[in-house]
């Protein structure tokens, strides 16, 4: 009976839908472009996801404009929701340049009009990609009050990120003078700025201003206020916390108790801090993991291994896949409290569960091994990670370099530095100065002028040269009795400021003739 009913339902659905036209070969989509699309018809939401997926696959140096225009050509147009979904996904992935390119492309189209929220997103992205000065220029070009109002908060955020107190204060005053609404989020940005710049009296002034103007405070407002009060003592913090508890518009959640716990810990009141964290645990969500790892970090700061383990076990009860970042947090906390065995166990659990090997997770354990002087263990882990198919990043090589230098395995340190420098073409990382100088000192000790020369030339390409490095190279040439042919030009090109010792080394090096005699 049930099977007959199911068949009748399928027949009704089939009869109610138009017969699909057989696609011609010329209209068949490219498998690499949109193979998941079905012949039964396009799902608009699915199409938007496909566009986002397509753009996320592009390399960071490739423009998204050609991809969007190709997509539009194949489909006739690209719906605004699809573009906004793609922008959101790219921002979440920190692909700010690509997200900005989409908004710029939208602005260039006659059939698309940017909304106030689009202008706000564009200004935020301009600030991230090109800096605050260009974000200011964009803001000043906005004519419509609604657009300026929407873009004012991201501009304020730019100033706060740069800790530019004067410009932030001027913008707030400007908004108030023209009657634009200033909401709690703008005041919270000012509170963040004053806490970051240690201007605690101004924090109290902002809180009083919010009270006078009946501007509602939220949990973040109170957390920032409590942090500012901690300078005056615990009593002042408790007074602010009491006000928060009595504020019927604010829910006192786990973040407030974590803030309170950290303040108690800094004042040496560990028992009170632990009591706050116990209360924070009762406020945690059963559907979101975020709070678990904040509370876990607080337990780690109190060197409470049991608290860290308990929070980790509790977080596993939250539905959904545990992200790599959460595994990293747990491993970091366990390393901090000295429980390496448990950290290794969680790392092993992550390896079993992970779909894609994220070398950042293994780097956490690798760093712990190196800091403890376990260089053999670090090398074994590195080989294990390579066998898993992971690609080491610059941080991997930096950690290994540090271990090799500390254990005086300088040949391995040199090799790790080569690998690290080769990765610098695609990132903004710079190796620590002490490691750069340690390798130069190794060449100097060996009297290896050829390698020292090659090394300084590579460093010059990345603007990593310095006076101590050039001194080391010159001492290497002198020790090897080798003529320093182009060092003087390199020093001049790098605009190195000389000192008396450097002048003396140049004179000594200049006395070496082409036969290697001083």
């Amino acid at each position: 009976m049930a099977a007959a009913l199911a068949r009748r339902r399928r027949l009704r659905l089939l009869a109610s839908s138009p017969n699909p036209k057989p696609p011609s070969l010329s209209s068949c989509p490219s498998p690499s472009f949109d193979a998941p699309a079905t012949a039964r018809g396009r799902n608009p939401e699915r199409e938007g996801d496909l566009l986002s997926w397509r753009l996320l696959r592009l390399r960071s140096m490739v423009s998204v404009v050609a991809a969007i225009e190709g997509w539009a050509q194949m489909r006739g147009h690209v719906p605004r929701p699809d573009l906004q979904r793609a922008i959101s996904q790219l921002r979440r992935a920190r692909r700010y340049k690509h997200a900005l390119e989409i908004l710029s492309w939208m602005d260039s189209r006659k059939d698309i009009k940017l909304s106030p929220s689009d202008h706000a997103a564009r200004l935020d992205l301009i600030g991230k990609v090109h800096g605050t000065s260009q974000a200011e220029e964009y803001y000043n070009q906005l004519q419509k009050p609604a657009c300026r109002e929407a873009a004012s908060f991201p501009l304020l955020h730019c100033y706060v990120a740069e800790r530019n107190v004067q410009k932030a204060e001027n913008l707030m005053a400007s908004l108030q003078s023209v009657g634009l609404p200033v909401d709690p989020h703008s005041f919270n940005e000012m509170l963040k700025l004053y806490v970051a710049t240690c201007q605690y009296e101004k924090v109290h002034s902002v809180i009083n201003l919010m009270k006078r103007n009946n501007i509602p405070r939220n949990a973040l407002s109170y957390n920032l206020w409590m942090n500012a009060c901690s300078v005056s003592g615990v009593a002042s913090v408790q007074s602010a916390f009491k006000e928060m508890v009595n504020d019927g518009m604010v829910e006192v959640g786990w973040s407030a108790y974590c803030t309170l716990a950290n303040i108690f810990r800094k004042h040496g009141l560990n028992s009170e801090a632990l009591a706050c964290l116990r209360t924070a645990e009762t406020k945690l969500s059963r559907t979101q993991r975020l709070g678990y790892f904040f509370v876990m970090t607080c337990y780690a700061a109190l060197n409470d291994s049991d608290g860290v383990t308990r929070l980790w076990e509790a977080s596993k009860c939250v539905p959904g896949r545990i992200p790599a970042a959460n595994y990293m947090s747990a491993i970091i906390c366990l390393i901090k409290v000295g429980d390496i065995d448990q950290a290794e166990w969680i790392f092993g659990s992550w390896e079993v569960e992970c779909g894609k090997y994220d070398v950042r997770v293994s780097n956490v354990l690798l760093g712990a091994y190196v800091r403890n002087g376990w260089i053999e263990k670090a090398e074994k882990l590195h080989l294990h990670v390579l066998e898993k198919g992971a690609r080491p990043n610059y941080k991997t090589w930096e950690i290994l370099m540090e271990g090799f230098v500390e254990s005086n395995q300088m040949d391995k340190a040199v090799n790790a530095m080569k690998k690290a420098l080769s990765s610098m073409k695609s990132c903004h990382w710079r190796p620590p100065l002490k490691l750069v100088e340690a390798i130069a000192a190794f060449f100097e000790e060996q009297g290896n002028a050829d390698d020292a020369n090659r090394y300084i030339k590579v460093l010059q390409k990345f603007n990593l040269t310095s006076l101590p490095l050039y001194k080391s190279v010159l001492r290497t040439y002198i020790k090897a009795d080798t003529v320093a042919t182009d060092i003087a030009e390199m020093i001049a090109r790098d605009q190195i400021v000389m000192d008396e010792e450097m002048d003396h080394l140049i004179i000594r090096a200049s006395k070496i003739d082409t036969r290697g005699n001083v």
Side-chain angles (χ1 to χ4, degrees):
M1 181 69 179
L5 284 171
R7 278 196 298 273
R8 281 199 291 271
R9 268 193 220 103
R10 285 198 293 269
L11 286 169
R12 281 198 300 269
L13 284 171
L14 186 60
S16 64
S17 60
N19 292 328
K21 293 180 181 179
S24 65
L25 288 175
S26 61
S27 65
C28 285
S30 167
S32 64
F33 197 73
D34 61 352
T38 65
R40 289 190 297 271
R42 294 188 179 114
N43 181 333
E45 189 173 339
R46 177 64 174 155
E47 293 259 318
D49 289 338
L50 284 171
L51 176 61
S52 300
W53 175 81
R54 172 80 174 180
L55 298 179
L56 284 166
R57 289 187 67 197
L58 294 176
R59 293 185 178 182
S60 57
M61 64 284 296
V62 177
S63 173
V64 300
V65 173
I68 295 173
E69 288 181 344
W71 187 272
Q73 188 175 5
M74 290 184 70
R75 284 154 179 76
H77 77 294
V78 185
R80 177 189 284 270
D82 291 1
L83 293 168
Q84 290 174 326
R85 188 182 292 113
I87 291 167
S88 177
Q89 293 279 357
L90 288 166
R91 291 177 78 180
R92 196 174 294 120
R94 298 179 183 272
R95 299 275 291 277
Y96 303 127
K97 182 174 178 289
H98 280 169
L100 179 58
E101 284 177 7
I102 296 177
L103 281 163
S104 300
W105 179 83
M106 289 169 65
D107 193 33
S108 69
R109 303 275 298 186
K110 293 180 180 179
D111 56 334
I112 299 178
K113 188 177 181 181
L114 295 187
S115 66
S117 61
D118 290 332
H119 284 292
R122 193 177 182 189
L123 186 142
D124 177 63
L125 291 166
I126 289 171
K128 285 180 168 64
V129 176
H130 300 299
T132 301
S133 59
Q134 288 197 31
E136 283 178 320
E137 288 179 17
Y138 184 76
Y139 180 79
N140 292 330
Q141 290 170 6
L142 297 175
Q143 300 296 324
K144 294 183 178 180
C147 296
R148 289 180 69 84
E149 179 184 336
S152 61
F153 181 76
L155 180 60
L156 179 63
H157 183 74
C158 288
Y159 293 148
V160 172
E162 287 191 346
R163 299 190 179 185
N164 194 323
V165 175
Q166 184 177 354
K167 285 193 173 183
E169 289 177 340
N170 289 343
L171 178 60
M172 284 289 282
S174 173
L175 294 176
Q176 290 172 312
S177 66
V178 297
L180 286 177
V182 182
D183 60 13
H185 301 298
S186 299
F187 281 101
N188 284 345
E189 286 294 305
M190 296 305 296
L191 290 173
K192 285 182 196 174
L193 178 60
Y194 293 141
V195 169
T197 55
C198 303
Q199 299 184 58
Y200 303 115
E201 286 303 318
K202 288 187 176 182
V203 171
H204 303 306
S205 299
V206 171
I207 293 293
N208 290 332
L209 180 63
M210 293 175 79
K211 289 179 182 180
R212 286 196 306 271
N213 291 283
N214 294 318
I215 296 170
R217 284 152 285 164
N218 57 23
L220 179 58
S221 312
Y222 280 105
N223 288 341
L224 291 166
W225 185 21
M226 284 192 287
N227 277 316
C229 289
S230 66
V231 178
S232 305
V234 173
S236 179
V237 175
Q238 289 173 319
S239 175
F241 181 71
K242 185 177 179 181
E243 229 178 287
M244 182 182 190
V245 171
N246 294 330
D247 189 335
M249 302 293 291
V250 177
E251 180 183 354
V252 184
W254 58 263
S255 67
Y257 284 101
C258 284
T259 300
L260 202 55
N262 280 328
I263 291 168
F264 282 140
R265 176 181 59 81
K266 289 174 183 176
H267 282 82
L269 303 170
N270 287 0
S271 298
E272 288 83 349
L274 287 169
C276 285
L277 293 180
R278 280 291 192 178
T279 306
E281 287 186 54
T282 67
K283 305 284 185 179
L284 292 169
S285 168
R286 294 184 180 182
T287 58
Q288 294 182 337
R289 287 194 179 86
L290 178 65
Y292 289 84
F293 295 92
F294 273 87
V295 179
M296 185 190 295
T297 302
C298 292
Y299 274 122
L302 288 161
N303 202 33
D304 188 329
S305 178
D306 291 339
V308 171
T309 304
R310 185 172 62 253
L311 264 293
W312 168 249
E313 292 300 324
S315 75
K316 293 195 290 186
C317 297
V318 177
R321 181 174 168 273
I322 304 174
N326 290 168
Y327 279 102
M328 286 174 64
S329 296
I331 294 169
I332 289 168
C333 288
L334 287 164
I335 289 169
K336 190 169 185 177
V337 299
D339 195 345
I340 296 287
D341 290 342
Q342 182 69 5
E344 289 174 335
W345 185 85
I346 290 178
F347 175 72
S349 301
W350 169 76
E351 282 197 316
V352 172
E353 297 293 331
C354 72
K356 182 181 179 182
Y357 209 98
D358 189 339
V359 76
R360 294 175 302 172
V361 183
S362 57
N363 280 350
V364 174
L365 202 55
L366 189 72
Y369 290 160
V370 166
R371 287 191 298 275
N372 281 284
W374 304 335
I375 188 62
E376 289 183 10
K377 214 172 180 183
E379 287 188 90
K380 285 180 182 177
L381 175 61
H382 178 59
L383 291 173
H384 168 76
V385 168
L386 293 178
E387 287 170 3
K388 288 284 186 179
R391 294 181 61 184
N393 61 10
Y394 63 87
K395 193 63 181 176
T396 310
W397 299 119
E398 181 183 322
I399 293 167
L400 288 170
M401 262 191 287
E402 185 180 341
F404 292 141
V405 168
E406 290 296 323
S407 59
N408 201 32
Q409 299 183 59
M410 295 307 298
D411 287 332
K412 290 182 178 179
V414 171
N415 186 52
M417 177 63 86
K418 288 178 182 177
K419 300 283 181 63
L421 291 174
S422 68
S423 72
M424 285 177 61
K425 297 171 184 176
S426 57
C427 71
H428 298 290
W429 169 80
R430 292 293 180 267
L433 184 60
K434 67 174 185 177
L435 296 180
V436 173
E437 292 182 351
I439 289 174
F442 169 67
F443 292 139
E444 180 184 341
E445 184 182 339
Q446 298 292 312
N448 191 336
D450 289 340
D451 281 348
N453 185 49
R454 281 192 287 269
Y455 184 53
I456 197 73
K457 285 182 177 178
V458 172
L459 294 177
Q460 189 181 44
K461 291 179 183 177
F462 296 106
N463 296 318
L464 292 171
T465 55
S466 64
L467 181 62
L469 282 170
Y470 274 115
K471 286 180 179 179
S472 179
V473 170
L474 281 173
R475 286 193 295 265
T476 306
Y477 274 109
I478 292 167
K479 187 173 184 177
D481 287 338
T482 303
V483 178
T485 52
D486 52 358
I487 290 294
E489 290 82 359
M490 291 174 67
I491 291 171
R493 197 180 309 133
D494 292 342
Q495 298 181 340
I496 300 295
V497 178
M498 311 286 275
D499 62 9
E500 188 176 342
E501 182 187 2
M502 188 65 171
D503 290 335
H504 178 66
L505 287 170
I506 289 174
I507 291 169
R508 285 187 63 192
S510 66
K511 291 180 179 178
I512 300 174
D513 61 29
T514 54
R515 291 166 297 178
N517 300 313
V518 181

